[in-house]
Amino acid sequence: MPEGDSPTVARRRVRLALREAREKADLTQAQVAEEMEWSLSKVIRIENGDVSISPNDLRPLLAYLGIRDRTTVGAMVADARIARTRQRQAWFQTPDFRENLTEATRKLVEYEHEAARIRSYSVYYVPGPLQTPDYAKALMTRFEDELSADQIGRRIDARQLRRESLLSRAGSGQVRILVMLDESVLRRTIGGAAVFAVQLRELRRMIDDGLITMRMVPFSLDAPVTNNASFDLLSLGEGEVLYRETGLGDEMIEDRDTTAKHGARYDKVWEEVADEATTLAFIDRQIRSLEDPSS
């Protein structure tokens, strides 16, 4: 494993290499499971990154897939060993969070720990790690018919843990965060005027402190990034991953063509939307109108 690589990046490299080798050998996941005497679900979970493969399982699998070069095998075994060490220690892998967060959200949190750059686009609300506790609580209560009180509580806790981790990394220069918000996000008073005003002031503080760079997609711009989905593009040591969310679900996508298309679209619209100064001026006007409606 190259020096400085993280366990997350190492695990991703192993599973992508395994999937590529399987497809190159024209084998199905079911055929691999039968040959290795594993369950099909185990193969699927390894390739999806839900679990790490042990070195003892990896060696015979590599032989079956035709990967026998000693240097390649040694590097992949080293990756697998280090990846398994970190996974057991992560807060989002503990039972309380595993049971109350979606699979895609857990992967998102894992990649946020390692990303060098995050390009975020939101069409509905302020992105999770940038939310204040009261804003997050007000937002989550909208899903009371779909989620239990425990699920809501855990998801709010997770957002605060993500926030602390991500902003700490941004403050130390480990990650650059670009945020593009639809104008509706900066108008939608989730939680009421007082809660939303505090949320906007917190966005202002993060911008002023250099933790995030933000631009607004105004209603006047007839060039939406996507029609109905918010997403995050995270740049890792092994390319990019895409987390996409709609009002009904979320998913993690690692297909290179899909991530490339989203990245190209994001960059194009980023250059067309309101710049940072215009966005800040809009936020300031919103804060004044919320705190002093008569102004």
Side-chain angles (χ1 to χ4, degrees):
M1 187 175 84
E3 184 177 357
D5 272 0
S6 71
T8 295
V9 172
R11 179 164 59 254
R12 182 168 183 265
R13 179 165 50 242
V14 169
R15 63 188 182 81
L16 292 182
L18 290 176
R19 185 172 65 191
E20 181 179 342
R22 176 181 60 77
E23 292 174 348
K24 184 177 180 180
D26 197 25
L27 295 169
T28 66
Q29 292 175 325
Q31 287 173 312
V32 171
E34 182 178 0
E35 174 66 24
M36 301 302 297
E37 297 184 348
W38 297 344
S39 66
L40 176 58
S41 65
K42 178 175 178 176
V43 177
I44 293 173
R45 286 169 63 79
I46 288 172
E47 289 196 3
N48 286 347
D50 299 327
V51 297
S52 296
I53 186 170
S54 71
N56 288 340
D57 281 343
L58 179 60
R59 290 187 182 91
L61 176 58
L62 292 177
Y64 175 57
L65 296 175
I67 300 177
R68 296 183 174 85
D69 177 77
R70 295 180 65 180
T71 300
T72 301
V73 171
M76 292 183 67
V77 169
D79 280 345
R81 184 176 293 114
I82 294 175
R84 286 173 63 84
T85 300
R86 174 70 64 89
Q87 189 178 41
R88 291 192 295 269
Q89 300 170 348
W91 64 263
F92 51 87
Q93 294 289 357
T94 61
D96 284 346
F97 286 106
R98 283 193 65 87
E99 294 171 3
N100 293 291
L101 298 176
T102 67
E103 175 185 319
T105 298
R106 293 197 305 272
K107 287 184 179 180
L108 172 64
V109 176
E110 183 174 14
Y111 289 143
E112 283 178 343
H113 280 285
E114 310 297 340
R117 182 179 67 162
I118 298 175
R119 287 177 289 176
S120 180
Y121 170 69
S122 182
V123 68
Y124 298 117
Y125 43 76
V126 173
L130 308 184
Q131 295 173 8
T132 64
D134 287 341
Y135 182 94
K137 183 177 181 180
L139 182 64
M140 293 304 299
T141 55
R142 297 185 172 204
F143 299 95
E144 287 179 328
D145 293 340
E146 303 173 26
L147 302 173
S148 68
D150 188 53
Q151 286 176 313
I152 290 175
R154 290 300 179 188
R155 293 190 181 193
I156 292 174
D157 290 344
R159 290 188 178 186
Q160 293 309 304
L161 289 168
R162 287 174 60 200
R163 172 186 173 83
E164 293 170 6
S165 174
L166 196 57
L167 295 186
S168 175
R169 296 189 68 235
S172 62
Q174 298 177 59
V175 59
R176 185 184 181 205
I177 305 173
L178 304 179
V179 181
M180 189 157 52
L181 301 180
D182 187 82
E183 182 177 330
S184 63
V185 176
L186 298 176
R187 289 184 178 274
R188 189 172 291 116
T189 55
I190 292 174
V195 168
F196 190 53
V198 172
Q199 175 64 78
L200 291 181
R201 284 196 174 279
E202 178 60 8
L203 289 178
R204 187 61 155 93
R205 181 195 70 80
M206 288 185 282
I207 294 170
D208 290 341
D209 290 349
L211 301 176
I212 62 175
T213 301
M214 181 179 292
R215 293 185 179 184
M216 178 184 72
V217 183
F219 290 149
S220 59
L221 181 66
D222 186 21
V225 184
T226 61
N227 290 328
N228 61 356
S230 299
F231 66 85
D232 295 301
L233 278 165
L234 298 92
S235 299
L236 305 169
E238 296 292 311
E240 286 192 314
V241 296
L242 169 69
Y243 173 79
R244 188 163 57 192
E245 184 177 17
T246 67
L248 299 176
D250 61 349
E251 59 182 340
M252 181 61 71
I253 300 171
E254 302 191 40
D255 175 73
R256 292 179 181 177
D257 289 340
T258 302
T259 56
K261 287 178 182 177
H262 279 71
R265 183 63 177 166
Y266 188 101
D267 291 343
K268 181 178 186 299
V269 178
W270 179 265
E271 297 302 324
E272 298 174 348
V273 300
D275 61 18
E276 288 88 341
T278 303
T279 300
L280 279 174
F282 183 90
I283 291 174
D284 288 341
R285 289 196 299 272
Q286 288 294 96
I287 292 173
R288 288 196 297 271
S289 68
L290 290 166
E291 295 181 339
D292 184 8
S294 63
S295 61

